[in-house]
Amino acid sequence: MKFLFSFQFIAALFLILWGVSLLLNIIFKIHLPLGRIFFGSLLILAGIGLIFFTPAFYKKSVSTTSYNKDFEETNFVFGKAMIDFSKISAIDSSGGTKKINVVFSQADIIIDDNEYNIDIDAAFASVNTPEFSLSFGNRSLILKSIKNDKIVYNIKISAVFSNVNIRVASKI
């Protein structure tokens, strides 16, 4: 069906409509508005193309980021992302603060059973945690560790016009 959008097809359509218009005008004295018919045909073809063919800019990309002790701040804009903190204890034993900014995106954040202090700022967003949901404002989530570690991992999440899901890996 890609031939509907080729230059040859559109040019042939225009020539056929022009020929039919001339024949009807000469033989039956019927005037057809050729420009309007051609423009309407182009709109119909464009509509068919949007229904049956998905343009490349509609394809969604998924970005998966594993925890890396070197990253301090990461930004996700216009996309879908997943950040996996489930192997944090094997990589980083110093704690520290990690910042995650999510704008016009969807982010899934997976954490493990360590102790976390998560500060959430949301503006016109949907942030779902194991304990509460937040759409506007700021709130803190403190998850206590099952282990006897003294390390506290701090995460600051800023979400604007986004959807953020925070899930515990052992409860998935």
Side-chain angles (χ1 to χ4, degrees):
M1 245 181 132
K2 289 195 176 210
F3 70 84
L4 290 177
F5 300 102
S6 67
F7 175 74
Q8 291 86 7
F9 181 76
I10 293 173
L13 179 69
F14 181 72
L15 288 175
I16 290 170
L17 287 174
W18 190 21
V20 169
S21 174
L22 285 175
L23 284 175
L24 288 175
N25 194 9
I26 291 171
I27 297 172
F28 299 110
K29 304 290 185 211
I30 298 173
H31 176 69
L32 290 178
L34 182 63
R36 290 181 183 177
I37 293 173
F38 181 70
F39 183 69
S41 300
L42 285 180
L43 289 178
I44 290 170
L45 289 175
I48 290 171
L50 286 176
I51 291 172
F52 292 111
F53 301 112
T54 303
F57 57 85
Y58 284 139
K59 293 182 181 176
K60 293 186 177 182
S61 62
V62 177
S63 173
T64 303
T65 303
S66 294
Y67 177 78
N68 182 354
K69 68 179 181 178
D70 296 330
F71 99 82
E72 303 225 354
E73 182 173 359
T74 184
N75 300 312
F76 297 106
V77 181
F78 295 112
K80 183 176 181 181
M82 184 176 80
I83 304 174
D84 191 0
F85 286 98
S86 63
K87 297 177 179 65
I88 192 170
S89 59
I91 298 173
D92 188 8
S93 60
S94 64
T97 300
K98 308 300 178 192
K99 295 180 183 176
I100 301 169
N101 300 316
V102 184
V103 181
F104 294 107
S105 300
Q106 178 179 351
D108 293 322
I109 300 172
I110 300 172
I111 57 177
D112 60 355
D113 292 327
N114 288 317
E115 188 166 337
Y116 286 91
N117 182 11
I118 302 174
D119 292 326
I120 303 167
D121 290 325
F124 304 107
S126 173
V127 180
N128 299 311
T129 70
E131 295 181 5
F132 62 84
S133 294
L134 182 67
S135 294
F136 193 79
N138 55 4
R139 197 163 173 191
S140 293
L141 171 66
I142 298 173
L143 298 174
K144 298 293 182 182
S145 175
I146 298 174
K147 306 172 186 175
N148 291 328
D149 295 339
K150 300 286 183 189
I151 303 168
V152 176
Y153 298 99
N154 297 311
I155 301 173
K156 293 189 179 196
I157 300 171
S158 298
V160 179
F161 294 107
S162 301
N163 184 15
V164 178
N165 296 313
I166 301 171
R167 299 179 290 164
V168 179
S170 63
K171 296 179 182 177
I172 295 177

